């Protein structure tokens, strides 16, 4: 099997990219959440899995009160 690897030069390091990605996800979550809705990040820390190696462990709580009401109306409508 022939394997080729392509590398693209980036103007930032991997660590800078990771920090920027976390910032943009957090900012988007704040913009999209209103009235008690949104995503609460409970835990976000580096972790090492015994089988898969290093990674990021993130625990989130998602609050969807607006969508819950719509879903409840649909369920009650079709009963």
């Amino acid at each position: 099997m022939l394997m080729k690897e392509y590398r693209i030069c980036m103007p930032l390091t991997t660590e800078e990219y990771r920090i920027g990605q976390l910032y943009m996800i957090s900012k988007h979550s704040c913009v999209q959440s209103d009235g008690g809705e949104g995503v609460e990040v409970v835990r976000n820390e580096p972790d090492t899995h015994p089988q898969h190696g290093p990674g990021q462990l993130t625990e989130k709580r998602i609050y969807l009160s607006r969508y819950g009401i719509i879903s409840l109306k649909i369920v009650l409508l079709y009963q």
Side-chain angles (χ1 to χ4, degrees):
M1 174 170 64
L2 177 64
M3 231 177 161
K4 292 187 179 183
E5 179 178 312
Y6 296 95
R7 295 185 182 219
I8 300 172
C9 296
M10 299 290 288
L12 61 156
T13 64
T14 307
E15 184 65 21
E16 291 171 333
Y17 176 81
R18 188 183 68 79
I19 291 170
Q21 182 184 26
L22 288 173
Y23 172 76
M24 290 308 296
I25 290 171
S26 174
K27 184 171 180 156
H28 179 72
S29 177
C30 288
V31 168
Q32 292 296 319
S33 63
D34 58 338
E37 293 181 349
V39 178
E40 175 189 3
V41 178
V42 178
R43 188 170 55 163
N44 188 14
E45 56 196 30
D47 187 41
T48 303
H49 191 273
Q51 182 180 1
H52 302 294
Q56 191 76 13
L57 176 66
T58 306
E59 180 182 347
K60 298 178 182 178
R61 293 188 182 143
I62 302 172
Y63 301 100
L64 300 172
S65 61
R66 175 177 26 162
Y67 299 109
I69 293 172
I70 293 171
S71 301
L72 184 60
K73 285 181 183 178
I74 290 172
V75 168
L76 292 176
L77 182 66
Y78 289 109
Q79 280 189 351

Coordinates of all heavy atoms in Angstrom, one line a residue:
M1 N 0.9 -1.2 0.0 CA 0.0 0.0 0.0 C 0.9 1.2 0.0 O 1.8 1.3 0.8 CB -0.9 0.0 1.2 CG -1.7 1.2 1.4 SD -3.0 1.3 2.6 CE -2.1 1.1 4.1
L2 N 0.6 2.2 -0.8 CA 1.3 3.4 -0.9 C 0.6 4.5 -0.1 O -0.6 4.7 -0.2 CB 1.4 3.9 -2.4 CG 2.1 5.2 -2.6 CD1 3.6 5.1 -2.3 CD2 1.9 5.6 -4.1
M3 N 1.4 5.1 0.8 CA 0.8 6.2 1.6 C 1.5 7.5 1.4 O 2.7 7.5 1.3 CB 1.0 5.8 3.1 CG -0.2 5.8 3.9 SD 0.3 5.2 5.5 CE -1.1 5.9 6.4
K4 N 0.7 8.5 1.2 CA 1.3 9.9 1.0 C 0.8 10.8 2.1 O -0.3 10.7 2.6 CB 0.8 10.4 -0.4 CG 1.4 9.7 -1.6 CD 1.0 10.4 -2.8 CE 1.6 9.7 -4.0 NZ 1.3 10.3 -5.3
E5 N 1.7 11.6 2.5 CA 1.4 12.6 3.5 C 1.7 14.0 3.0 O 2.7 14.3 2.4 CB 2.4 12.4 4.7 CG 2.1 13.3 5.9 CD 3.0 13.0 7.0 OE1 3.1 11.8 7.5 OE2 3.7 14.0 7.6
Y6 N 0.7 14.8 3.2 CA 0.7 16.2 2.8 C 0.7 17.1 4.0 O 0.0 16.9 4.9 CB -0.4 16.6 1.9 CG -0.4 15.8 0.6 CD1 -1.2 14.7 0.4 CD2 0.3 16.3 -0.5 CE1 -1.2 14.0 -0.8 CE2 0.3 15.6 -1.7 CZ -0.5 14.4 -1.8 OH -0.4 13.7 -3.0
R7 N 1.6 18.1 4.0 CA 1.7 19.0 5.1 C 1.4 20.4 4.6 O 1.9 20.9 3.6 CB 3.0 19.0 5.8 CG 3.3 17.6 6.4 CD 4.6 17.6 7.2 NE 4.8 16.3 7.7 CZ 5.3 16.1 8.9 NH1 5.7 17.1 9.6 NH2 5.5 14.9 9.3
I8 N 0.5 21.1 5.4 CA 0.2 22.5 5.0 C 0.7 23.4 6.1 O 0.5 23.2 7.3 CB -1.4 22.7 5.0 CG1 -1.9 21.7 3.9 CG2 -1.8 24.1 4.7 CD1 -3.4 21.6 3.8
C9 N 1.5 24.4 5.7 CA 2.1 25.3 6.7 C 1.0 26.2 7.2 O 0.2 26.8 6.4 CB 3.2 26.2 6.0 SG 4.6 25.2 5.5
M10 N 0.9 26.4 8.5 CA -0.1 27.2 9.1 C 0.6 28.4 9.8 O 1.7 28.2 10.3 CB -0.9 26.4 10.2 CG -1.7 25.2 9.6 SD -3.1 25.7 8.6 CE -4.2 26.3 9.8
P11 N -0.1 29.5 9.9 CA 0.5 30.7 10.6 C 0.4 30.6 12.1 O 0.7 31.6 12.8 CB -0.3 31.8 10.0 CG -1.6 31.3 9.7 CD -1.4 29.9 9.3
L12 N 0.0 29.5 12.7 CA -0.1 29.4 14.1 C 0.3 27.9 14.5 O 0.2 27.0 13.7 CB -1.5 29.7 14.6 CG -2.7 28.9 14.1 CD1 -3.8 29.1 15.1 CD2 -3.1 29.5 12.8
T13 N 0.6 27.8 15.8 CA 0.9 26.4 16.3 C -0.4 25.6 16.6 O -1.5 26.2 16.6 CB 1.7 26.6 17.6 OG1 0.9 27.2 18.6 CG2 3.0 27.4 17.4
T14 N -0.2 24.4 16.9 CA -1.3 23.5 17.2 C -2.0 24.0 18.5 O -3.2 24.0 18.6 CB -0.9 22.1 17.4 OG1 -0.1 21.7 16.2 CG2 -2.0 21.1 17.5
E15 N -1.2 24.4 19.5 CA -1.8 24.9 20.7 C -2.6 26.2 20.5 O -3.6 26.3 21.1 CB -0.6 25.1 21.7 CG -1.1 25.5 23.1 CD -1.9 24.4 23.8 OE1 -1.8 23.3 23.5 OE2 -2.6 24.8 24.8
E16 N -2.1 27.1 19.7 CA -2.8 28.3 19.4 C -4.1 28.0 18.7 O -5.1 28.6 19.0 CB -2.0 29.3 18.6 CG -0.8 29.9 19.3 CD 0.1 30.6 18.4 OE1 0.2 30.3 17.2 OE2 0.8 31.5 18.9
Y17 N -4.1 27.0 17.8 CA -5.3 26.6 17.1 C -6.3 26.1 18.1 O -7.5 26.4 18.0 CB -5.0 25.6 16.0 CG -6.2 25.1 15.3 CD1 -6.8 25.8 14.3 CD2 -6.8 23.9 15.6 CE1 -7.9 25.4 13.6 CE2 -7.9 23.4 15.0 CZ -8.5 24.1 14.0 OH -9.6 23.7 13.4
R18 N -5.9 25.2 19.0 CA -6.8 24.6 19.9 C -7.4 25.6 20.8 O -8.6 25.6 21.1 CB -6.0 23.6 20.8 CG -6.9 22.7 21.7 CD -6.1 21.8 22.6 NE -5.3 22.5 23.6 CZ -5.8 23.0 24.7 NH1 -7.1 22.9 25.0 NH2 -5.1 23.7 25.5
I19 N -6.6 26.6 21.3 CA -7.2 27.7 22.1 C -8.2 28.5 21.4 O -9.3 28.8 21.9 CB -6.0 28.5 22.7 CG1 -5.2 27.7 23.7 CG2 -6.6 29.8 23.3 CD1 -3.9 28.4 24.1
G20 N -7.9 28.8 20.1 CA -8.8 29.6 19.3 C -10.1 28.8 19.0 O -11.2 29.4 19.0
Q21 N -10.0 27.5 18.8 CA -11.2 26.7 18.5 C -12.1 26.7 19.8 O -13.3 26.9 19.7 CB -10.8 25.3 18.1 CG -11.9 24.4 17.8 CD -11.5 23.0 17.5 OE1 -10.5 22.6 18.0 NE2 -12.3 22.3 16.7
L22 N -11.5 26.5 21.0 CA -12.3 26.5 22.2 C -12.9 27.9 22.4 O -14.1 27.9 22.9 CB -11.4 26.1 23.4 CG -10.9 24.7 23.5 CD1 -9.9 24.5 24.6 CD2 -12.1 23.8 23.6
Y23 N -12.2 28.9 22.1 CA -12.8 30.3 22.3 C -14.0 30.5 21.4 O -15.0 31.0 21.8 CB -11.7 31.3 22.0 CG -12.2 32.7 22.0 CD1 -12.6 33.4 23.1 CD2 -12.5 33.4 20.8 CE1 -13.1 34.7 23.1 CE2 -13.0 34.6 20.7 CZ -13.3 35.3 21.9 OH -13.8 36.5 21.9
M24 N -13.8 30.1 20.1 CA -14.9 30.3 19.2 C -16.2 29.5 19.5 O -17.3 29.9 19.3 CB -14.5 30.1 17.7 CG -13.5 31.1 17.2 SD -14.1 32.8 17.4 CE -15.5 32.8 16.3
I25 N -15.9 28.2 20.0 CA -17.1 27.4 20.4 C -17.8 28.0 21.6 O -19.0 28.1 21.6 CB -16.6 26.0 20.7 CG1 -16.2 25.3 19.4 CG2 -17.7 25.2 21.4 CD1 -15.5 24.0 19.6
S26 N -17.0 28.5 22.5 CA -17.6 29.2 23.7 C -18.4 30.5 23.3 O -19.5 30.7 23.8 CB -16.5 29.5 24.7 OG -17.0 30.2 25.7
K27 N -17.8 31.3 22.4 CA -18.4 32.5 22.0 C -19.7 32.2 21.2 O -20.7 32.8 21.4 CB -17.5 33.3 21.1 CG -18.0 34.6 20.7 CD -17.0 35.5 20.0 CE -17.7 36.8 19.6 NZ -16.7 37.9 19.5
H28 N -19.7 31.2 20.3 CA -20.9 30.8 19.6 C -22.0 30.3 20.6 O -23.2 30.6 20.4 CB -20.6 29.7 18.6 CG -21.8 29.3 17.8 ND1 -22.4 30.0 16.8 CD2 -22.5 28.1 17.9 CE1 -23.4 29.4 16.3 NE2 -23.5 28.2 16.9
S29 N -21.6 29.6 21.6 CA -22.6 29.1 22.6 C -23.2 30.3 23.3 O -24.4 30.3 23.5 CB -21.9 28.2 23.5 OG -22.8 27.8 24.5
C30 N -22.4 31.3 23.7 CA -23.0 32.5 24.3 C -23.9 33.2 23.5 O -25.0 33.7 23.9 CB -21.9 33.4 24.8 SG -20.9 32.7 26.2
V31 N -23.6 33.4 22.2 CA -24.5 34.1 21.2 C -25.8 33.4 21.0 O -26.9 34.0 21.0 CB -23.7 34.3 19.9 CG1 -24.7 34.8 18.8 CG2 -22.6 35.3 20.1
Q32 N -25.7 32.0 21.0 CA -26.9 31.3 20.7 C -27.8 31.0 21.9 O -29.0 30.7 21.8 CB -26.5 29.9 20.1 CG -25.9 30.0 18.7 CD -26.9 30.5 17.7 OE1 -28.1 30.1 17.7 NE2 -26.4 31.4 16.8
S33 N -27.3 31.2 23.1 CA -28.1 31.0 24.3 C -28.7 32.2 24.8 O -28.1 33.3 24.8 CB -27.2 30.4 25.4 OG -26.2 31.3 25.7
D34 N -30.0 32.1 25.2 CA -30.7 33.2 25.8 C -31.9 32.7 26.6 O -32.4 31.6 26.3 CB -31.2 34.2 24.7 CG -32.2 33.5 23.7 OD1 -32.1 32.3 23.5 OD2 -33.0 34.2 23.1
G35 N -32.2 33.3 27.6 CA -33.4 32.9 28.5 C -33.2 31.6 29.1 O -34.1 30.8 29.2
G36 N -32.0 31.3 29.7 CA -31.7 30.1 30.4 C -31.4 28.9 29.5 O -31.3 27.8 30.0
E37 N -31.2 29.1 28.2 CA -30.8 28.1 27.3 C -29.3 28.1 27.1 O -28.7 29.1 27.4 CB -31.6 28.2 26.0 CG -33.0 28.0 26.0 CD -33.7 28.2 24.7 OE1 -33.0 28.6 23.7 OE2 -34.8 27.8 24.6
G38 N -28.8 27.0 26.5 CA -27.4 27.0 26.1 C -26.7 25.8 26.6 O -27.3 24.8 27.1
V39 N -25.4 25.9 26.6 CA -24.5 24.9 27.0 C -23.7 25.3 28.1 O -23.1 26.4 28.1 CB -23.5 24.5 25.8 CG1 -22.6 23.4 26.2 CG2 -24.3 24.0 24.6
E40 N -23.7 24.5 29.2 CA -22.8 24.8 30.4 C -21.7 23.8 30.3 O -21.9 22.6 30.4 CB -23.6 24.7 31.6 CG -22.8 24.8 32.9 CD -23.6 24.4 34.1 OE1 -24.7 24.0 34.0 OE2 -23.0 24.6 35.2
V41 N -20.5 24.4 30.3 CA -19.3 23.5 30.3 C -18.9 23.3 31.8 O -18.5 24.2 32.5 CB -18.1 24.1 29.6 CG1 -16.9 23.2 29.6 CG2 -18.5 24.4 28.1
V42 N -19.1 22.0 32.2 CA -18.9 21.7 33.6 C -17.4 21.4 33.8 O -16.8 21.8 34.8 CB -19.8 20.5 34.0 CG1 -19.5 20.1 35.5 CG2 -21.2 20.8 33.8
R43 N -16.8 20.6 32.9 CA -15.4 20.2 33.0 C -14.8 20.2 31.7 O -15.4 19.7 30.7 CB -15.4 18.9 33.7 CG -14.0 18.4 34.1 CD -14.1 17.2 34.9 NE -14.8 16.1 34.3 CZ -14.8 14.8 34.7 NH1 -14.0 14.5 35.7 NH2 -15.5 13.9 34.0
N44 N -13.6 20.8 31.6 CA -12.9 20.8 30.3 C -11.4 20.7 30.6 O -10.8 21.7 31.0 CB -13.2 22.0 29.5 CG -12.6 22.0 28.1 OD1 -12.2 21.0 27.7 ND2 -12.6 23.1 27.5
E45 N -10.8 19.5 30.6 CA -9.4 19.3 31.0 C -8.8 18.3 30.1 O -9.4 17.4 29.6 CB -9.4 18.9 32.5 CG -10.2 17.6 32.7 CD -10.5 17.4 34.2 OE1 -10.6 18.4 35.0 OE2 -10.6 16.3 34.6
P46 N -7.4 18.3 30.0 CA -6.7 17.3 29.3 C -6.8 16.0 30.0 O -6.8 15.9 31.2 CB -5.3 17.8 29.2 CG -5.3 19.2 29.8 CD -6.6 19.4 30.5
D47 N -6.8 14.9 29.2 CA -6.9 13.6 29.8 C -6.1 12.6 28.9 O -5.9 12.8 27.8 CB -8.4 13.2 29.9 CG -8.6 11.9 30.6 OD1 -7.9 11.7 31.7 OD2 -9.4 11.1 30.2
T48 N -5.7 11.5 29.5 CA -5.0 10.5 28.8 C -5.7 9.2 29.0 O -5.9 8.7 30.1 CB -3.5 10.3 29.4 OG1 -2.9 11.5 29.2 CG2 -2.8 9.3 28.5
H49 N -6.3 8.7 27.9 CA -7.0 7.4 27.8 C -6.0 6.3 27.7 O -5.1 6.4 27.0 CB -8.0 7.4 26.6 CG -9.0 6.3 26.7 ND1 -8.7 5.1 26.2 CD2 -10.2 6.3 27.2 CE1 -9.7 4.3 26.3 NE2 -10.7 5.0 26.9
P50 N -6.2 5.2 28.5 CA -5.2 4.1 28.4 C -5.1 3.4 27.1 O -4.0 3.0 26.7 CB -5.8 3.1 29.5 CG -7.1 3.6 29.9 CD -7.3 5.0 29.4
Q51 N -6.2 3.4 26.3 CA -6.1 2.8 25.0 C -5.9 3.7 23.9 O -5.1 3.5 22.9 CB -7.4 2.0 24.7 CG -7.5 1.3 23.4 CD -8.8 0.5 23.2 OE1 -9.7 0.6 24.0 NE2 -8.9 -0.2 22.1
H52 N -6.5 4.9 23.9 CA -6.5 5.9 22.8 C -5.4 7.0 22.9 O -5.2 7.7 22.0 CB -7.9 6.5 22.6 CG -8.9 5.4 22.3 ND1 -8.9 4.7 21.2 CD2 -10.0 5.1 23.0 CE1 -10.0 3.8 21.2 NE2 -10.6 4.1 22.4
G53 N -4.9 7.1 24.1 CA -3.8 8.1 24.3 C -4.4 9.5 24.8 O -5.5 9.6 25.3
P54 N -3.6 10.5 24.6 CA -4.0 11.9 25.1 C -5.1 12.5 24.3 O -5.3 12.2 23.1 CB -2.7 12.7 24.9 CG -1.9 12.0 23.8 CD -2.3 10.6 23.9
G55 N -5.9 13.2 25.0 CA -7.1 13.9 24.5 C -7.7 14.9 25.4 O -7.0 15.3 26.4
Q56 N -8.9 15.4 25.1 CA -9.5 16.4 25.9 C -10.8 15.8 26.5 O -11.6 15.3 25.8 CB -9.8 17.6 25.0 CG -10.3 18.8 25.8 CD -9.2 19.6 26.4 OE1 -8.0 19.3 26.2 NE2 -9.5 20.5 27.3
L57 N -11.0 15.9 27.8 CA -12.2 15.4 28.5 C -13.1 16.6 28.7 O -12.7 17.6 29.4 CB -11.8 14.8 29.8 CG -13.0 14.3 30.6 CD1 -13.8 13.2 29.9 CD2 -12.5 13.8 32.0
T58 N -14.3 16.6 28.2 CA -15.2 17.7 28.3 C -16.6 17.2 28.7 O -17.1 16.3 28.1 CB -15.4 18.5 26.9 OG1 -14.1 18.8 26.5 CG2 -16.3 19.7 27.1
E59 N -17.1 17.8 29.8 CA -18.4 17.4 30.3 C -19.3 18.7 30.1 O -19.0 19.7 30.6 CB -18.4 17.0 31.8 CG -19.7 16.7 32.3 CD -19.7 16.3 33.8 OE1 -18.6 16.1 34.3 OE2 -20.8 16.3 34.4
K60 N -20.4 18.5 29.4 CA -21.3 19.6 29.1 C -22.7 19.3 29.5 O -23.1 18.2 29.5 CB -21.3 20.0 27.6 CG -20.0 20.4 27.1 CD -20.0 20.6 25.6 CE -18.7 21.0 25.0 NZ -18.7 21.2 23.6
R61 N -23.5 20.3 29.9 CA -24.9 20.2 30.2 C -25.6 21.1 29.2 O -25.3 22.3 29.1 CB -25.2 20.6 31.6 CG -24.7 19.7 32.6 CD -25.1 19.9 34.0 NE -24.5 19.0 34.9 CZ -24.1 19.3 36.1 NH1 -24.3 20.5 36.6 NH2 -23.5 18.4 36.8
I62 N -26.6 20.6 28.4 CA -27.3 21.3 27.4 C -28.7 21.6 27.9 O -29.4 20.7 28.3 CB -27.3 20.5 26.1 CG1 -25.8 20.2 25.7 CG2 -28.0 21.2 25.0 CD1 -25.7 19.3 24.5
Y63 N -29.1 22.9 27.9 CA -30.4 23.3 28.3 C -31.2 23.7 27.0 O -30.7 24.7 26.4 CB -30.3 24.4 29.3 CG -29.5 24.0 30.5 CD1 -28.2 24.4 30.7 CD2 -30.1 23.2 31.5 CE1 -27.5 24.0 31.8 CE2 -29.4 22.9 32.7 CZ -28.1 23.3 32.8 OH -27.4 22.9 33.9
L64 N -32.3 23.1 26.7 CA -33.1 23.4 25.6 C -34.5 23.6 25.9 O -35.4 22.9 25.5 CB -33.0 22.3 24.5 CG -31.6 21.9 24.0 CD1 -31.6 20.6 23.2 CD2 -31.0 23.1 23.2
S65 N -34.8 24.7 26.7 CA -36.2 24.9 27.1 C -37.1 25.3 26.0 O -38.2 24.9 25.9 CB -36.2 26.0 28.2 OG -35.7 27.2 27.7
R66 N -36.6 26.1 25.0 CA -37.4 26.5 23.9 C -37.8 25.3 23.0 O -38.9 25.1 22.6 CB -36.6 27.5 23.0 CG -37.3 27.9 21.8 CD -36.6 28.9 21.0 NE -35.2 28.9 21.2 CZ -34.3 29.4 20.4 NH1 -34.7 30.1 19.4 NH2 -33.0 29.4 20.7
Y67 N -36.8 24.4 22.8 CA -37.1 23.2 22.0 C -37.9 22.2 22.7 O -38.7 21.4 22.1 CB -35.8 22.6 21.5 CG -35.0 23.5 20.6 CD1 -33.8 24.1 21.1 CD2 -35.5 23.9 19.4 CE1 -33.1 25.0 20.3 CE2 -34.8 24.8 18.6 CZ -33.6 25.3 19.0 OH -32.9 26.2 18.3
G68 N -37.8 22.1 24.0 CA -38.6 21.2 24.8 C -40.1 21.5 24.7 O -40.9 20.6 24.6
I69 N -40.4 22.8 24.7 CA -41.8 23.2 24.7 C -42.4 22.9 23.3 O -43.5 22.3 23.2 CB -41.9 24.7 24.9 CG1 -41.6 25.0 26.4 CG2 -43.3 25.2 24.6 CD1 -41.5 26.5 26.7
I70 N -41.6 23.1 22.2 CA -42.1 22.7 20.9 C -42.3 21.2 20.8 O -43.3 20.8 20.2 CB -41.1 23.3 19.8 CG1 -41.1 24.8 19.8 CG2 -41.4 22.7 18.4 CD1 -40.0 25.4 19.0
S71 N -41.4 20.5 21.3 CA -41.5 19.0 21.2 C -42.7 18.5 22.0 O -43.4 17.6 21.5 CB -40.2 18.3 21.8 OG -39.1 18.7 21.1
L72 N -42.9 19.1 23.1 CA -44.1 18.7 23.9 C -45.4 19.1 23.2 O -46.3 18.3 23.2 CB -44.0 19.5 25.3 CG -45.1 19.1 26.3 CD1 -45.1 17.6 26.6 CD2 -45.0 19.9 27.5
K73 N -45.5 20.2 22.6 CA -46.7 20.6 21.8 C -46.9 19.6 20.7 O -48.1 19.2 20.4 CB -46.5 22.0 21.2 CG -46.7 23.1 22.2 CD -46.5 24.4 21.6 CE -46.6 25.6 22.6 NZ -46.4 26.9 21.9
I74 N -45.9 19.2 20.0 CA -46.0 18.2 18.9 C -46.5 16.9 19.4 O -47.4 16.2 18.8 CB -44.7 18.0 18.1 CG1 -44.4 19.3 17.4 CG2 -44.7 16.9 17.2 CD1 -43.0 19.4 16.7
V75 N -45.9 16.4 20.5 CA -46.3 15.1 21.1 C -47.8 15.2 21.5 O -48.6 14.3 21.3 CB -45.4 14.8 22.3 CG1 -46.0 13.6 23.1 CG2 -44.0 14.4 21.8
L76 N -48.2 16.3 22.2 CA -49.6 16.4 22.6 C -50.6 16.5 21.5 O -51.7 16.1 21.5 CB -49.7 17.6 23.6 CG -49.0 17.4 24.9 CD1 -49.2 18.7 25.7 CD2 -49.5 16.3 25.7
L77 N -50.1 17.2 20.4 CA -51.0 17.4 19.2 C -51.3 16.1 18.5 O -52.4 15.9 18.1 CB -50.3 18.3 18.2 CG -51.0 18.7 17.0 CD1 -52.3 19.5 17.3 CD2 -50.2 19.5 16.1
Y78 N -50.3 15.2 18.4 CA -50.5 13.9 17.7 C -51.0 12.8 18.6 O -50.9 11.6 18.2 CB -49.3 13.5 17.0 CG -49.0 14.5 15.8 CD1 -48.0 15.4 15.9 CD2 -49.8 14.4 14.7 CE1 -47.7 16.2 14.8 CE2 -49.6 15.3 13.6 CZ -48.5 16.2 13.7 OH -48.3 17.0 12.7
Q79 N -51.5 13.0 19.8 CA -52.0 11.9 20.6 C -53.4 11.7 20.3 O -54.2 12.4 20.0 CB -51.8 12.2 22.1 CG -50.4 12.0 22.5 CD -50.3 12.1 24.0 OE1 -51.2 12.5 24.7 NE2 -49.1 11.7 24.5

